[in-house]
Amino acid sequence: MVMKFSEYEYIPIDIEKVKDEFHKLIEKFKEAKTAKKQISIMKEIDDFRRDINTNFALCNVRFTINTADKYYAKENDKNDEIRPVIQSLTNEYYKVLKETPFKQEIIKKYGKNIFDIVDVSLKAFDPVIVEDMIEENKLSSQYTKLIASAKIKFNGQTYNLSSIGKFAQDSDRAIRAKVSKLVSKWFEKHCEEFDEIYDKMVHVRDKMAKKLGYENYVQFGYYRLGRVDYNANDVKGYREQVYKYLLPLTKKLFKKQAKRLGIKGMKSFDYNLEFLSGNPTPKGDKKYLVDQAINMYDEMSPETSEFFHFMVDSELLDLESKPNKAGGGYTTTLDRYHAPFIFANFNGTSGDVDVLTHEVGHAFMAYTCRDVDLLDYSWPTLEACEIHSMSMEFFTYPWMNNFFKEDTDKYKFTHLNSAITFIPYGVAVDEFQHFVYENVDVTPEQRRLKWREIEKKYLPHIKYNTKFMENGGRWFRQGHIFEAPFYYIDYTLAQVCAFQFFNLMNKDREKAWAKYVKLCKLGGSKSFLELLEVIKLKNPFVDGSIKKIVKPIKDYIATIDDTKM
Ligand code: ZN
């Protein structure tokens, strides 16, 4: 009998005890007289860290499943305060690890990436910025609360920003227009608050960077994301490739959409609707979808079959929306139990199936790496993580008819279409943030105008129906810009890599799958670009890559007749 999630035990963290034990382990590490001994203490330290992480994660999972649970709510608050202390302790360990006399032996066993991770972590953290980090977290919570507080009245009912979303894709144009105006109005009403929160965030981040000797937040922000092998200049070149080689295709796709909908003079709110006959929906409830997923992963490969049965049998998926459950979806790991966990909020849209493909891709990688020695090798950096999930979305295409029945073609078309059209938006979000952190003292109004300017460059099709949006208010809604600076480009980089898997699987599925499993097994043992090199995927930063990757996608799209959908 496998152990079930409900039997996993949360043990509250006693921070004084943890400090004491961590320090003892660090001393033991320093005193080790041989490489062999030191490596065995590295594993001991990582097991200790895994144990702490498991308690953090268990608490967070149980709190997000039921935010009204007083015990986990209180523990969660406590853990928010403990986290920076654990980061300080890890930092102490990294400093000692960096100076080890057995560096060569450790590299021989684990490769050099562990030392790159140590270096970049030390560059991205110092106890002198802990107070600023706490301030940054507080501002993040203010943003979350402000967004969550939205009450939008429509047709005699009150909605929040996510529940109003279903009307944003209504097939009645007048409803779409009305709803977009209401949403715009809400943001306009709270404009000063958003401006103030963001302005403070930008300045506290700039302050942290300067305290640690950086010119501004840009490079520091890259280090905080663990980026070791590319910089802002590489990303700039990548954005230029997107502009040159992808934009012609996205412009065409938006024109096709206008034609499908029969609308002349498309407005921003029209793009939420893909087909006049409505967007594709899954044909069954949660149980039906999970059963289909079990069959699919059984048929896909022995590895995915074993993994997905483990997830289902151990009850490591919490999929349905429930009262008091937090919003959104995520995958995390419970290291002590060598188990991933998937959290989602099913709502009857195609997004439910995306959970069973995208999040499962993350969880499959985590499961594949559940027994690695080093904790720092269990997940790679974020742009690499999204390759596992986004590529899995493509690997599941042959089974989509079990989920979508008569809507299958619509689903696949929409999925591929939106994967492509997302990239210029993602790049715009990134370019905007570089402007912001390189020009911290511009006024909020100048910031908004800059957003609109960048938007016009990458999303020239967008025409708004309110002055507020026309003057650059759309990004208030993009939480990453507030909460996770410079993260957004990662989705686009991963998408470009997932496209390479898609192109390859259309030619040779077996080869593509073998490559994918290899990538998952590598986990975080290598940096982003090294991972691509090992599995022979094109580096998106190299000029010409985007052009080559986009070509087969363009040809594939050309074979689909969307006018019949
Ligand atoms: Zn993801």
Side-chain angles (χ1 to χ4, degrees), residues 358-359 362 386 389 491:
H358 181 102
E359 295 304 333
H362 285 307
E386 295 301 330
S389 53
Y491 294 111

Side-chain angles (χ1 to χ4, degrees), residues 424-438:
Y425 173 69
V427 160
V429 168
D430 184 67
E431 191 158 310
F432 174 62
Q433 296 184 83
H434 282 86
F435 168 80
V436 167
Y437 291 102
E438 280 162 12

Side-chain angles (χ1 to χ4, degrees), residues 383-447:
E383 71 292 73
C385 283
E386 295 301 330
I387 307 178
H388 315 129
S389 53
M390 288 173 160
S391 304
M392 184 60 101
E393 294 174 28
F394 288 128
F395 277 112
T396 60
Y397 266 23
W399 289 272
M400 283 303 108
N401 53 329
N402 299 334
F403 295 90
F404 288 100
K405 306 245 165 90
E406 67 274 13
D407 278 355
T408 305
D409 287 342
K410 262 189 185 178
Y411 173 73
K412 284 201 243 174
F413 176 79
T414 312
H415 179 264
L416 185 58
N417 206 59
S418 55
I420 297 163
T421 54
F422 166 72
I423 295 176
Y425 173 69
V427 160
V429 168
D430 184 67
E431 191 158 310
F432 174 62
Q433 296 184 83
H434 282 86
F435 168 80
V436 167
Y437 291 102
E438 280 162 12
N439 302 278
V440 288
D441 289 323
V442 301
T443 65
E445 198 191 1
Q446 284 170 318
R447 231 176 248 147

Side-chain angles (χ1 to χ4, degrees), residues 103-287:
K103 192 167 177 178
Q104 285 321 310
E105 289 88 338
I106 294 171
I107 289 178
K108 209 175 149 208
K109 186 162 171 69
Y110 293 118
K112 72 169 192 25
N113 200 38
I114 181 64
F115 289 101
D116 289 344
I117 292 170
V118 162
D119 277 342
V120 81
S121 306
L122 292 174
K123 282 178 187 162
F125 177 81
D126 189 283
V128 300
I129 58 166
V130 166
E131 287 305 312
D132 302 313
M133 286 168 73
I134 294 170
E135 169 73 10
E136 188 188 23
N137 286 340
K138 275 188 195 150
L139 291 164
S140 268
S141 307
Q142 274 181 33
Y143 172 79
T144 314
K145 276 185 201 146
L146 181 54
I147 286 280
S149 75
K151 287 191 175 63
I152 297 166
K153 287 205 173 74
F154 174 65
N155 276 354
Q157 297 267 4
T158 307
Y159 299 92
N160 61 28
L161 284 169
S162 56
S163 59
I164 194 91
K166 59 175 178 270
F167 300 106
Q169 41 178 291
D170 200 283
S171 45
D172 182 341
R173 193 169 193 225
I175 292 180
R176 293 200 299 277
K178 172 99 208 253
V179 163
S180 76
K181 265 190 191 154
L182 290 172
V183 169
S184 172
K185 220 166 146 186
W186 185 83
F187 277 100
E188 190 176 359
K189 200 174 135 200
H190 296 275
C191 182
E192 255 176 65
E193 288 161 80
F194 282 107
D195 279 338
E196 198 191 318
I197 292 172
Y198 193 60
D199 204 65
K200 282 185 180 164
M201 279 179 159
V202 169
H203 281 96
V204 77
R205 286 173 184 144
D206 190 60
K207 191 167 119 196
M208 282 191 248
K210 284 178 177 150
K211 267 188 190 171
L212 298 189
Y214 297 91
E215 189 195 343
N216 58 40
Y217 185 74
V218 179
Q219 186 58 56
F220 179 57
Y222 275 49
Y223 285 151
R224 284 180 106 190
L225 290 166
R227 294 174 184 174
V228 298
D229 47 13
Y230 61 95
N231 59 29
N233 228 354
D234 297 311
V235 175
K236 185 168 181 272
Y238 164 77
R239 291 196 306 262
E240 280 162 11
Q241 285 190 72
V242 167
Y243 182 75
K244 233 164 124 183
Y245 300 112
L246 194 70
L247 239 63
L249 176 60
T250 55
K251 280 184 194 161
K252 227 184 253 170
L253 292 173
F254 287 122
K255 267 191 198 139
K256 272 169 92 127
Q257 186 180 4
K259 213 171 147 195
R260 267 196 320 271
L261 298 177
I263 298 173
K264 282 199 183 89
M266 291 271 282
K267 293 279 191 196
S268 63
F269 55 79
D270 288 317
Y271 291 99
N272 298 323
L273 183 69
E274 288 290 342
F275 306 97
L276 276 178
S277 56
N279 289 351
T281 51
K283 308 298 173 207
D285 59 5
K286 186 204 99 176
K287 189 187 174 306

